[in-house]
Amino acid sequence: MKEFLVGVLALQGDFREHINILKKMNIRTREIKYPGQLEEIDGLIIPGGESTTINKLLNKYGFKEKLKGFAESGNPIFGTCAGLIILACTIVDNEKQLCLIDINIKRNAYGRQIESFEKNISLDLKQEADNRKFNSIFIRAPRIIDAGKNVKTLGNCNGEIVLARENNILVSAFHPELTNDKRIHQYFIEMIIENLKEI
Ligand code: GLN
């Protein structure tokens, strides 16, 4: 298998934290600022931040069509928090988001910044390490209000889906990059490796 490269969308938000955790895992990374760079990478993380700002910048730089093509070619994408919103099917600012995963969400549904919280959640990654809870940090997080039948729940918090996957798209409502627990990033890396094996 060729040596792979993981991109982190670096237009706005906490992309540096994702880069840092991937570096600690000895993964080769690249900050993605232009659509043409998608051709160089094997998987992409869309970080948390402000989805309206990220959305505007995606339009400004002409990312959207390229991102769709990137996903349709089977490349894995992982969206955290605002990144989840960008990948969902919901309308924000009169504009349908990328709709690469069949979920509808409500923005800021857990309250304001001051109401941010941490919660130990159960994971279902089908790994031995699932028996340990994952400390999840929610910051003005979106809530998944409905999900299509092909969307798998990989993590839940009080019965609500907070980590989900549909084919090559992974989303979390919380911020795994703000902890030292690498299990979810590791899971995403395995999605990339699996995809490269299939090519
Ligand atoms: N509330 C933000 C939004 O709607 C997301 C917050 C986050 O990414 N931590 O875009």
Side-chain angles (χ1 to χ4, degrees), residues 14 47-54 80-83 85 92 107-108 111 113 138-142 173 175:
D14 75 335
E50 196 53 47
S51 57
T52 48
T53 309
I54 297 175
T80 57
C81 204
I85 298 170
V92 176
R107 292 179 62 208
N108 305 324
Q113 189 89 7
F138 292 81
I139 305 168
R140 292 199 308 129
H175 288 272

Side-chain angles (χ1 to χ4, degrees), residues 48-94:
E50 196 53 47
S51 57
T52 48
T53 309
I54 297 175
N55 200 33
K56 279 193 193 113
L57 293 170
L58 287 175
N59 284 334
K60 181 172 171 193
Y61 294 114
F63 258 106
K64 291 231 171 123
E65 282 311 305
K66 288 261 185 194
L67 273 174
K68 281 192 185 148
F70 184 75
E72 277 158 18
S73 314
N75 293 299
I77 304 183
F78 177 22
T80 57
C81 204
L84 170 153
I85 298 170
I86 299 288
L87 294 167
C89 296
T90 305
I91 293 173
V92 176
D93 284 352
N94 291 324

Side-chain angles (χ1 to χ4, degrees), residues 25-143:
M25 295 163 69
N26 294 321
I27 303 292
R28 290 172 66 232
T29 59
R30 177 147 309 156
E31 289 186 9
I32 302 299
K33 294 183 186 287
Y34 305 102
Q37 292 177 288
L38 293 174
E39 281 154 33
E40 299 158 18
I41 57 173
D42 304 292
L44 177 74
I45 296 179
I46 305 183
E50 196 53 47
S51 57
T52 48
T53 309
I54 297 175
N55 200 33
K56 279 193 193 113
L57 293 170
L58 287 175
N59 284 334
K60 181 172 171 193
Y61 294 114
F63 258 106
K64 291 231 171 123
E65 282 311 305
K66 288 261 185 194
L67 273 174
K68 281 192 185 148
F70 184 75
E72 277 158 18
S73 314
N75 293 299
I77 304 183
F78 177 22
T80 57
C81 204
L84 170 153
I85 298 170
I86 299 288
L87 294 167
C89 296
T90 305
I91 293 173
V92 176
D93 284 352
N94 291 324
E95 204 179 322
K96 193 165 189 182
Q97 303 300 291
L98 285 172
C99 203
L100 290 173
I101 179 165
D102 188 9
I103 55 171
N104 269 305
I105 61 95
K106 187 168 183 327
R107 292 179 62 208
N108 305 324
Y110 296 94
R112 294 176 302 156
Q113 189 89 7
I114 198 164
E115 287 151 313
S116 300
F117 62 96
E118 290 185 31
K119 184 97 185 163
N120 280 322
I121 66 155
S122 316
L123 295 182
D124 187 13
L125 303 176
K126 306 273 177 276
Q127 290 170 353
E128 223 175 288
D130 279 355
N131 54 19
R132 273 186 295 119
K133 296 263 184 182
F134 193 97
N135 180 34
S136 310
I137 301 173
F138 292 81
I139 305 168
R140 292 199 308 129
R143 174 175 265 143

